[in-house]
Amino acid sequence: MVNYIENGFSNAPLIDHDKKMISIDGGCAVKSSGQLNALIIESGVYSFMYVDHLPDFEVKGDYMPHNQEAAGITFPDYEIERLEVAEDFSRCMHKKTERMFWVKNEYIEDDGHNVKDDVSCTLLPVTSGERVQLVDGGCTGFDLVKKEGRVGWIPKGLLK
């Protein structure tokens, strides 16, 4: 679903009652954070379950970022302009949409003009005791996790 939504980075099914449309594409074999979705319709109520290959962790602390804007950069629109470099993220303008995002430094090409892969630009709120899946634990300062299909960054040290 990552390529079909404008605000956010989620592999959860997209249900649009107004357009009478349901899409359950979770990017299972294509995206590192992909998942196989199952749509459940029971007594007119829609829900879903999913499976993926990612390791599961319990969150051991709360994280409530001040900016919870859901955003991401996806194929084929990887072109950015890096405007400011900070310790963990760089402030970038996404060329296609002209939106401003904080992009994880490890996901930016050395030339500063493209991201290397699909990347979430979302700081994801989590609560102690919740379950998340680790998408990328190899970056400095933050882990990329998935919670209920949504993909985003949380500070290192919150997973047990």
Side-chain angles (χ1 to χ4, degrees), residues 21-146:
M21 179 188 79
I22 298 173
S23 178
I24 62 170
D25 178 7
C28 184
V30 180
K31 313 278 185 186
S32 61
S33 62
Q35 61 194 39
L36 178 62
N37 290 320
L39 180 66
I40 302 165
I41 305 171
E42 191 171 16
S43 300
V45 176
Y46 294 80
S47 63
F48 75 97
M49 296 181 71
Y50 68 89
V51 294
D52 60 32
H53 67 283
L54 300 170
D56 189 72
F57 289 89
E58 182 178 338
V59 176
K60 66 180 181 179
D62 296 342
Y63 175 59
M64 186 59 63
H66 65 277
N67 179 4
Q68 295 182 34
E69 177 185 6
I73 299 173
T74 61
F75 178 83
D77 303 309
Y78 285 170
E79 191 176 5
I80 59 169
E81 179 181 343
R82 186 187 290 188
L83 304 172
E84 175 187 346
V85 179
E87 183 177 350
D88 295 308
F89 295 86
S90 289
R91 184 83 168 151
C92 299
M93 181 184 69
H94 184 233
K95 289 287 194 165
K96 180 175 183 186
T97 63
E98 297 186 346
R99 289 181 63 198
M100 305 298 283
F101 298 127
W102 286 97
V103 180
K104 193 70 178 86
N105 290 330
E106 290 88 341
Y107 279 77
I108 300 174
E109 294 283 358
D110 292 337
D111 66 7
H113 297 294
N114 288 284
V115 295
K116 297 176 181 178
D117 197 357
D118 288 8
V119 60
S120 174
C121 301
T122 301
L123 298 176
L124 197 63
V126 292
T127 304
S128 182
E130 288 183 319
R131 305 297 302 183
V132 298
Q133 293 75 47
L134 181 63
V135 177
D136 185 351
C139 295
T140 60
F142 286 78
D143 289 321
L144 184 61
V145 300
K146 181 168 62 169

